[in-house]
Amino acid sequence: MNQELTYTERAYTKLENLCYTRFKTMYTDDAIARKRMANELLAIKKQGSSPMYIFVYDLLTGIQASSRHFCLRGVQGSSVVAYLLGLSEINPISIFPKLYSEFVIGKNGRGLASIEINVTKKMYAEIVNYLEHYIGEARIRCQHTEKGKLIAVYVSAPQKKLSYYPNEEEFRFGFNKVSSQKKLGKSIITGRVFDAANPKSFAEFVKCRGLSFGDGNGVWEDNAEELFKSGKVELKELIAHREDVYEFLLSHNINHEEAYKIAEDVTWGRIRKNGWSADDLALMYKAGIPEWFIKSCEKILFLFSRAHSIMFLKHYTKLCNNS
């Protein structure tokens, strides 16, 4: 006799069915997209994070959320699954500059799953109302700010016990209320980086957006700014996102595993804090990685994902076109 499926297993089945059904109309028979979707689903299954994906999907469907009223943040914009679920309007397969799903799921499918979105005041109120009347099966815990406003929901399967602090069995859905989309939009393409670089193409705007996010993170000041203004490094080569590190190393024939590991160490400031390992440094010198790149990595405290910048710019463009 078959044992009854757990909620996590049923949530995963629903997620898998949604993805494969939508794939047929959104990708036809794209082999690359199919492989990335399958890899992401496998990682979600291993993590047990399907309750979060289905919870967020049901929430957005339940309040009939319009994509004009929310913008996905962070690395999830690189996810084919997020695109298929309608969490993102960005097709991560065809977009340029390029996005990589390994930054969502981790190189071995062990990435920490979370979803975070910016929402309008109206949508924020609808989310809060949905949560107050939630009767679904997922186990949720709402986190509040000091002023009593919701900022995140931790989601797990009903058979899992929720602790006060999130752990590896809880997955975070965060939402940030944006008081003025118009004001947010203006700040996206202005500032010192844009004034200095004067971007023209979409890829250059993405690069500048990433460099702007780097304020206080050791990305622009005393780093990329000096390299760019001195004429030593072109805008396209500057480190603005974690993908920039990954791609630069790949272009010098460093293998995917090593390139991803180094990119992650730079992203989270581990190189700045602990310095290079002898093996990594030897690997890069052997591959002919220039000294400016190595030194630039050493100054970085944190790198945003390229998907984060692309989502902000695309959302801003959509708002402008619909205004």
PDB file of all heavy atoms in Angstrom, residues 136-147:
ATOM      1  N   GLY A 136      -4.594  27.698   3.628  1.00  0.00           N
ATOM      2  CA  GLY A 136      -3.921  26.630   2.897  1.00  0.00           C
ATOM      3  C   GLY A 136      -3.159  25.694   3.814  1.00  0.00           C
ATOM      4  O   GLY A 136      -3.170  25.835   5.044  1.00  0.00           O
ATOM      5  N   GLU A 137      -2.479  24.742   3.207  1.00  0.00           N
ATOM      6  CA  GLU A 137      -1.795  23.701   3.984  1.00  0.00           C
ATOM      7  C   GLU A 137      -0.388  24.078   4.443  1.00  0.00           C
ATOM      8  O   GLU A 137       0.121  23.495   5.396  1.00  0.00           O
ATOM      9  CB  GLU A 137      -1.698  22.430   3.139  1.00  0.00           C
ATOM     10  CG  GLU A 137      -3.028  21.752   2.881  1.00  0.00           C
ATOM     11  CD  GLU A 137      -2.833  20.458   2.132  1.00  0.00           C
ATOM     12  OE1 GLU A 137      -2.427  19.461   2.765  1.00  0.00           O
ATOM     13  OE2 GLU A 137      -3.049  20.444   0.906  1.00  0.00           O
ATOM     14  N   ALA A 138       0.256  25.023   3.742  1.00  0.00           N
ATOM     15  CA  ALA A 138       1.623  25.362   4.111  1.00  0.00           C
ATOM     16  C   ALA A 138       1.665  25.926   5.522  1.00  0.00           C
ATOM     17  O   ALA A 138       0.738  26.581   5.984  1.00  0.00           O
ATOM     18  CB  ALA A 138       2.199  26.383   3.133  1.00  0.00           C
ATOM     19  N   ARG A 139       2.743  25.641   6.219  1.00  0.00           N
ATOM     20  CA  ARG A 139       2.945  26.218   7.548  1.00  0.00           C
ATOM     21  C   ARG A 139       3.714  27.516   7.355  1.00  0.00           C
ATOM     22  O   ARG A 139       4.781  27.538   6.753  1.00  0.00           O
ATOM     23  CB  ARG A 139       3.739  25.257   8.430  1.00  0.00           C
ATOM     24  CG  ARG A 139       3.897  25.741   9.883  1.00  0.00           C
ATOM     25  CD  ARG A 139       4.732  24.766  10.665  1.00  0.00           C
ATOM     26  NE  ARG A 139       4.067  23.485  10.824  1.00  0.00           N
ATOM     27  CZ  ARG A 139       3.223  23.182  11.810  1.00  0.00           C
ATOM     28  NH1 ARG A 139       2.933  24.098  12.716  1.00  0.00           N
ATOM     29  NH2 ARG A 139       2.670  22.001  11.891  1.00  0.00           N
ATOM     30  N   ILE A 140       3.170  28.616   7.854  1.00  0.00           N
ATOM     31  CA  ILE A 140       3.818  29.908   7.655  1.00  0.00           C
ATOM     32  C   ILE A 140       4.023  30.628   8.988  1.00  0.00           C
ATOM     33  O   ILE A 140       3.294  30.406   9.951  1.00  0.00           O
ATOM     34  CB  ILE A 140       3.012  30.818   6.700  1.00  0.00           C
ATOM     35  CG1 ILE A 140       1.658  31.192   7.315  1.00  0.00           C
ATOM     36  CG2 ILE A 140       2.817  30.156   5.349  1.00  0.00           C
ATOM     37  CD1 ILE A 140       0.913  32.254   6.527  1.00  0.00           C
ATOM     38  N   ARG A 141       5.049  31.453   9.012  1.00  0.00           N
ATOM     39  CA  ARG A 141       5.280  32.325  10.155  1.00  0.00           C
ATOM     40  C   ARG A 141       5.585  33.710   9.618  1.00  0.00           C
ATOM     41  O   ARG A 141       6.495  33.899   8.811  1.00  0.00           O
ATOM     42  CB  ARG A 141       6.471  31.836  10.987  1.00  0.00           C
ATOM     43  CG  ARG A 141       6.849  32.807  12.108  1.00  0.00           C
ATOM     44  CD  ARG A 141       7.945  32.226  12.988  1.00  0.00           C
ATOM     45  NE  ARG A 141       9.157  31.948  12.261  1.00  0.00           N
ATOM     46  CZ  ARG A 141      10.063  32.866  11.907  1.00  0.00           C
ATOM     47  NH1 ARG A 141       9.842  34.134  12.195  1.00  0.00           N
ATOM     48  NH2 ARG A 141      11.156  32.528  11.272  1.00  0.00           N
ATOM     49  N   CYS A 142       4.799  34.691  10.016  1.00  0.00           N
ATOM     50  CA  CYS A 142       4.984  36.057   9.538  1.00  0.00           C
ATOM     51  C   CYS A 142       5.951  36.800  10.449  1.00  0.00           C
ATOM     52  O   CYS A 142       5.852  36.711  11.674  1.00  0.00           O
ATOM     53  CB  CYS A 142       3.653  36.802   9.486  1.00  0.00           C
ATOM     54  SG  CYS A 142       2.457  36.058   8.361  1.00  0.00           S
ATOM     55  N   GLN A 143       6.856  37.513   9.851  1.00  0.00           N
ATOM     56  CA  GLN A 143       7.818  38.310  10.607  1.00  0.00           C
ATOM     57  C   GLN A 143       7.413  39.780  10.526  1.00  0.00           C
ATOM     58  O   GLN A 143       7.013  40.268   9.473  1.00  0.00           O
ATOM     59  CB  GLN A 143       9.221  38.128  10.022  1.00  0.00           C
ATOM     60  CG  GLN A 143      10.308  38.789  10.848  1.00  0.00           C
ATOM     61  CD  GLN A 143      11.671  38.604  10.206  1.00  0.00           C
ATOM     62  OE1 GLN A 143      11.920  39.117   9.125  1.00  0.00           O
ATOM     63  NE2 GLN A 143      12.548  37.859  10.859  1.00  0.00           N
ATOM     64  N   HIS A 144       7.509  40.488  11.638  1.00  0.00           N
ATOM     65  CA  HIS A 144       7.087  41.884  11.696  1.00  0.00           C
ATOM     66  C   HIS A 144       8.275  42.797  11.964  1.00  0.00           C
ATOM     67  O   HIS A 144       9.267  42.402  12.566  1.00  0.00           O
ATOM     68  CB  HIS A 144       6.061  42.089  12.820  1.00  0.00           C
ATOM     69  CG  HIS A 144       4.821  41.294  12.638  1.00  0.00           C
ATOM     70  ND1 HIS A 144       3.658  41.823  12.144  1.00  0.00           N
ATOM     71  CD2 HIS A 144       4.547  39.977  12.864  1.00  0.00           C
ATOM     72  CE1 HIS A 144       2.727  40.887  12.087  1.00  0.00           C
ATOM     73  NE2 HIS A 144       3.242  39.756  12.518  1.00  0.00           N
ATOM     74  N   THR A 145       8.147  44.046  11.515  1.00  0.00           N
ATOM     75  CA  THR A 145       9.138  45.046  11.868  1.00  0.00           C
ATOM     76  C   THR A 145       8.770  45.609  13.235  1.00  0.00           C
ATOM     77  O   THR A 145       7.762  45.224  13.830  1.00  0.00           O
ATOM     78  CB  THR A 145       9.158  46.199  10.853  1.00  0.00           C
ATOM     79  OG1 THR A 145       7.883  46.868  10.913  1.00  0.00           O
ATOM     80  CG2 THR A 145       9.369  45.685   9.450  1.00  0.00           C
ATOM     81  N   GLU A 146       9.565  46.544  13.714  1.00  0.00           N
ATOM     82  CA  GLU A 146       9.290  47.132  15.030  1.00  0.00           C
ATOM     83  C   GLU A 146       7.966  47.881  15.057  1.00  0.00           C
ATOM     84  O   GLU A 146       7.320  47.988  16.086  1.00  0.00           O
ATOM     85  CB  GLU A 146      10.435  48.071  15.428  1.00  0.00           C
ATOM     86  CG  GLU A 146      11.734  47.337  15.749  1.00  0.00           C
ATOM     87  CD  GLU A 146      12.828  48.278  16.186  1.00  0.00           C
ATOM     88  OE1 GLU A 146      12.571  49.498  16.244  1.00  0.00           O
ATOM     89  OE2 GLU A 146      13.934  47.804  16.467  1.00  0.00           O
ATOM     90  N   LYS A 147       7.564  48.411  13.906  1.00  0.00           N
ATOM     91  CA  LYS A 147       6.306  49.164  13.835  1.00  0.00           C
ATOM     92  C   LYS A 147       5.108  48.267  13.532  1.00  0.00           C
ATOM     93  O   LYS A 147       4.008  48.742  13.282  1.00  0.00           O
ATOM     94  CB  LYS A 147       6.413  50.264  12.781  1.00  0.00           C
ATOM     95  CG  LYS A 147       7.447  51.338  13.133  1.00  0.00           C
ATOM     96  CD  LYS A 147       7.475  52.423  12.082  1.00  0.00           C
ATOM     97  CE  LYS A 147       8.496  53.497  12.449  1.00  0.00           C
ATOM     98  NZ  LYS A 147       8.548  54.579  11.432  1.00  0.00           N
TER      99      LYS A 147
END
